[in-house]
Amino acid sequence: MKGNSWRSIQLGDLFTIKHGYAFKGEHFGSAGSHIVLTPGNFFDEGGFKNKGDKEKWYSGKIPEEYILSQGDLLVAMTEQAEGLLGSAALVPKNERYLHNQRLGLIQNLSGVEKRFLYYLFNSQPVRQQIRSSCSGVKVRHTSPSRIYEVKVDIPPLPMQRK
């Protein structure tokens, strides 16, 4: 139940999104030092999906700022299968996964808890707004600016932590 303390706000007032890196395909393989995350590492309803033997390992040079940390929040910005666009996942392990170009890293949170934001991204109202603003016919895409425009109602921080 919403109270007077809830705020109507756009997502862009709560965080920034960093684009991932375009890792070179010739360095993908079945072995390497890190796993390159793709939209295939997201469940449609949200959450991290381990792909087991089908993971894309990377053996090339890695820019340090694209190595993810446990608890980093990512959002799928490309939909290769219907229902995936806007899906959010939390990185499960430190320094094992790489931030790929089709994923947005949520950063610089202001007035919102990361765990609350994870659930907010995976809610139907937010996913529908992201989907309705996307581009592309066969493969749908969104962008940070489109995600920033999504309108939500959020409770005060103490309620987000419950």
Side-chain angles (χ1 to χ4, degrees):
M1 178 187 297
K2 289 195 322 187
N4 293 343
S5 56
W6 284 59
R7 296 184 296 153
S8 292
I9 196 164
Q10 289 185 307
L11 289 180
D13 295 327
L14 301 173
F15 56 82
T16 60
I17 298 175
K18 177 183 175 184
H19 277 287
Y21 183 74
F23 290 95
K24 305 223 180 290
E26 65 259 23
H27 298 293
F28 289 178
S30 57
S33 61
H34 292 79
I35 294 171
V36 179
L37 293 183
T38 69
N41 288 104
F42 291 68
F43 286 108
D44 289 350
E45 65 276 7
F48 185 87
K49 184 196 305 183
N50 184 326
K51 296 180 355 184
D53 293 343
K54 295 182 180 180
E55 295 289 8
K56 289 185 178 182
W57 288 87
Y58 196 73
S59 60
K61 186 173 189 239
I62 299 168
E64 195 72 27
E65 69 266 28
Y66 294 99
I67 299 174
L68 295 165
S69 297
Q70 183 175 2
D72 280 347
L73 179 59
L74 297 169
V75 62
M77 296 198 311
T78 297
E79 177 179 71
Q80 293 158 327
E82 189 170 335
L84 189 63
L85 194 67
S87 177
L90 293 163
V91 174
K93 291 185 181 173
N94 240 0
E95 298 190 20
R96 179 174 185 169
Y97 300 102
L98 300 177
H99 180 203
N100 194 15
Q101 65 183 345
R102 294 176 258 165
L103 307 176
L105 175 62
I106 306 299
Q107 298 182 311
N108 305 313
L109 281 84
S110 174
V112 68
E113 285 288 320
K114 188 184 296 183
R115 194 85 169 143
F116 179 83
L117 193 54
Y118 164 80
Y119 288 111
L120 192 63
F121 261 111
N122 291 318
S123 71
Q124 283 305 313
V126 169
R127 298 287 288 282
Q128 287 170 348
Q129 287 183 70
I130 291 172
R131 185 165 177 72
S132 70
S133 71
C134 70
S135 62
V137 176
K138 193 171 185 178
V139 178
R140 297 176 184 269
H141 306 277
T142 192
S143 66
S145 62
R146 288 183 181 140
I147 292 172
Y148 294 156
E149 292 174 0
V150 170
K151 295 177 178 147
V152 295
D153 292 324
I154 63 166
L157 283 170
M159 286 181 81
Q160 293 177 30
R161 293 181 182 123
K162 290 184 178 182

